[in-house]
Amino acid sequence: MRLATVVFAALLLQSTLVSAQDRAGPVDLAALQWTTLPNGAKVAVFMGNPKEPGPYGSRARLPANWRVAPHTHPEDGRVTTVVSGVFYWAIGEKFDESKLQAYGPGSVIIESRGVAHYAMTKEEGAEIQTNSTGPAGMQYLEPGK
């Protein structure tokens, strides 16, 4: 599970997709180039480049029963919006399913630099959109698990 989330983070950081745009205007979401990860999650960058300084935007399609272990991000004001499904999220240094809160479409989660959190989906999965200012990153509290 954690290997898959590490792969997710690495792919997001390495993404320089042709469909990502740096100019103002509508984004053709149907034209995004999605990368499928080993755990079944799919990710696409639609604006900027997460591995470089500056604004970026990405979408992630998370399959049913997907989990991400407690981690932090170096970005401040990282904004995740639930597009569809239900995304379960909580602050904490240990994964505790009883503390997860359900967030449905339209919900917005603001993640501050260095604040530990974790997440999962259940049977319905979820699609989320993340916007922030790079460079993006992900630091697990218990590396190697």
Side-chain angles (χ1 to χ4, degrees), residues 8-135:
F8 171 77
L11 286 173
L12 183 59
L13 290 173
Q14 294 174 5
S15 295
T16 54
L17 302 177
V18 175
S19 61
Q21 66 183 52
D22 294 318
R23 58 178 167 59
V27 174
D28 181 0
L29 296 175
L32 290 180
Q33 296 177 9
W34 293 88
T35 301
T36 302
L37 307 178
N39 67 355
K42 295 180 180 183
V43 64
V45 174
F46 63 85
M47 179 184 74
N49 184 338
K51 70 179 180 178
E52 295 179 1
Y56 72 88
S58 65
R59 288 273 178 119
R61 292 179 178 159
L62 308 174
N65 304 310
W66 177 88
R67 289 178 177 237
V68 62
H71 62 280
T72 62
H73 299 285
E75 307 103 301
D76 206 19
R78 182 180 167 104
V79 179
T80 297
T81 304
V82 180
V83 176
S84 64
V86 180
F87 187 61
Y88 297 83
W89 187 92
I91 291 175
E93 296 182 359
K94 299 276 184 198
F95 195 102
D96 181 349
E97 194 168 335
S98 71
K99 293 183 179 179
L100 290 163
Q101 300 245 332
Y103 296 95
S107 297
V108 175
I109 301 166
I110 300 171
E111 300 169 341
S112 297
R113 176 189 350 248
V115 175
H117 58 280
Y118 52 94
M120 70 178 286
T121 62
K122 293 188 179 178
E123 61 279 349
E124 68 280 358
E127 183 168 336
I128 59 174
Q129 177 171 310
T130 300
N131 295 84
S132 192
T133 302

